Amino acid sequence: MKTSGYIKEQLQRLYPDMVRWRRHLHQNPELSFQEVHTSRWIADQLNAFGCEVRKDVGGHGLLVTIKGDLPGPVVALRADIDALPIQDEKECDYRSKVPGVMHACGHDGHTAALLAVASYYQQHKAELAGERRLIFQPAEEQTPGGALRMIEDGALDGVDAIYGVHLWSPLPYGQASTKPGPFMAAADEFTLEIVGLGGHGGMPHKTVDTIVIGSALVQSVQSIVGRNVDPLKPAVVTIGSFQAGTTNNVIAERCVMKGTVRTFDEETRKLTHERLEQLVKHTCGMYGAKYDYHMRIGYPPVVNDEQEAGRFFRVSGELFGEANTIRSEAMMVAEDFSYYLEKVPGCFMFIGAGNEETGVVHAHHHPRFDIDERAMVHSAQLLIQMAEDFAKA
Ligand code: NI
């Protein structure tokens, strides 16, 4: 196995290419499930390196198989490739050329870093132990996501471990972080329409008032987190929209409520869903209203394998220093990397991509979002070192 110094030097050499690749993608973003040109362009780069590429995996996904000359495990490394429906408001020469579409989450950087990883491994097959499977995944930003279909299409067949990186602008360049166990939340969304009986505001006894029913429900759903969920387990039930009624003297026949449920483990998630549905059913029943209720299931929680997270803290400590290796808090954002982690052990990690001095301070999904591009080298480095550390164990 090559030393980390050697790997870093090789990746530094690829840095101008990474910047070029990332800026090409940044200028030509495509939305989730529509990554036709992106996918073709990635395949062209991989073919130029001489890689074995499988196209159209689970939609617009790509699988790269790099087999070493030595025996060893199969380690998968994943990047997502899709962009967001946001207007790019940055002032720079690599701004998005597509109106209303932008790489505002750094997936362009993930793709460029994984291309560098492909180029590195392709040139070092002779001393590579086992196989490296590179997953270029579409549609991370939109449920049902791209991961599940790629898995169904064989992305994880024979895989022993998987690693993924997210460039993270709230974390300064130079740092890296993750958390063992539950790291990111499951995020599900519900819509409820209560149907009562409208009528005159002065004659409520002739009506079924959906504002009264909806209000009762807004109060009672807060008892799920307060009284049903284990107080040591995090959960959120939020009703973000409540639409009913038209004017002073008319009783509202319909009330539409929209909300989200966020949890970190399947047991709490199931309990929260069940209680929500019971409260909806019985509250509407109690007041004599009908209802239409839909829960849209989002991604499961991202749960890092304890041992693999341990590997991150050791590997990152050696690469970036102990002081730059941060133990993250759990976060209420969601990621479909969770599907891979349900199947094989692995770890999802953050690489610091923020830089206050150069004005790279905007949050993910912000119209002025950008990354410190040097973080792509750290990203590629961490992915390779995690894989090689696993392979030598
Ligand atoms: Ni993202």
Side-chain angles (χ1 to χ4, degrees), residues 94-261:
Y94 54 90
R95 185 167 60 180
S96 171
K97 290 189 212 164
V98 185
V101 184
M102 176 188 176
H103 269 291
C105 199
H107 299 188
D108 49 348
H110 302 167
T111 303
L114 198 61
L115 281 172
V117 170
S119 172
Y120 173 84
Y121 275 132
Q122 188 64 21
Q123 286 167 43
H124 294 83
K125 279 177 166 184
E127 60 259 42
L128 180 62
E131 180 189 322
R132 301 296 170 269
R133 178 94 44 91
L134 309 185
I135 302 175
F136 291 88
Q137 182 214 298
E140 189 282 323
E141 297 285 3
Q142 200 182 316
T143 55
L148 208 51
R149 280 189 63 200
M150 286 201 78
I151 294 169
E152 284 163 8
D153 221 348
L156 290 182
D157 291 0
V159 167
D160 297 297
I162 184 161
Y163 306 106
V165 159
H166 209 300
L167 295 165
W168 203 241
S169 68
L171 197 66
Y173 169 72
Q175 298 188 347
S177 78
T178 195
K179 179 185 171 299
F183 182 27
M184 294 179 180
D188 307 312
E189 294 181 334
F190 59 90
T191 302
L192 168 68
E193 181 176 23
I194 305 170
V195 184
L197 182 61
H200 199 289
M203 302 177 73
H205 58 297
K206 300 282 189 192
T207 73
V208 177
D209 185 346
T210 59
I211 290 184
V212 170
I213 303 167
S215 306
L217 206 49
V218 169
Q219 294 294 327
S220 61
V221 297
Q222 291 312 318
S223 73
I224 298 173
V225 174
R227 300 289 91 174
N228 301 131
V229 171
D230 181 338
L232 297 179
K233 294 192 173 154
V236 170
V237 178
T238 287
I239 292 178
S241 170
F242 186 112
Q243 307 284 334
T246 49
T247 190
N248 303 58
N249 59 351
V250 175
I251 283 176
E253 179 155 292
R254 283 163 197 273
C255 169
V256 177
M257 290 156 65
K258 292 181 180 180
T260 181
V261 174

Side-chain angles (χ1 to χ4, degrees), residues 30-31 33-42 60 81:
E30 288 177 302
L31 293 172
F33 300 104
Q34 299 173 29
E35 309 92 338
V36 180
H37 298 287
T38 303
S39 184
R40 202 176 301 155
W41 180 87
I42 295 169
H60 301 303
I81 68 171

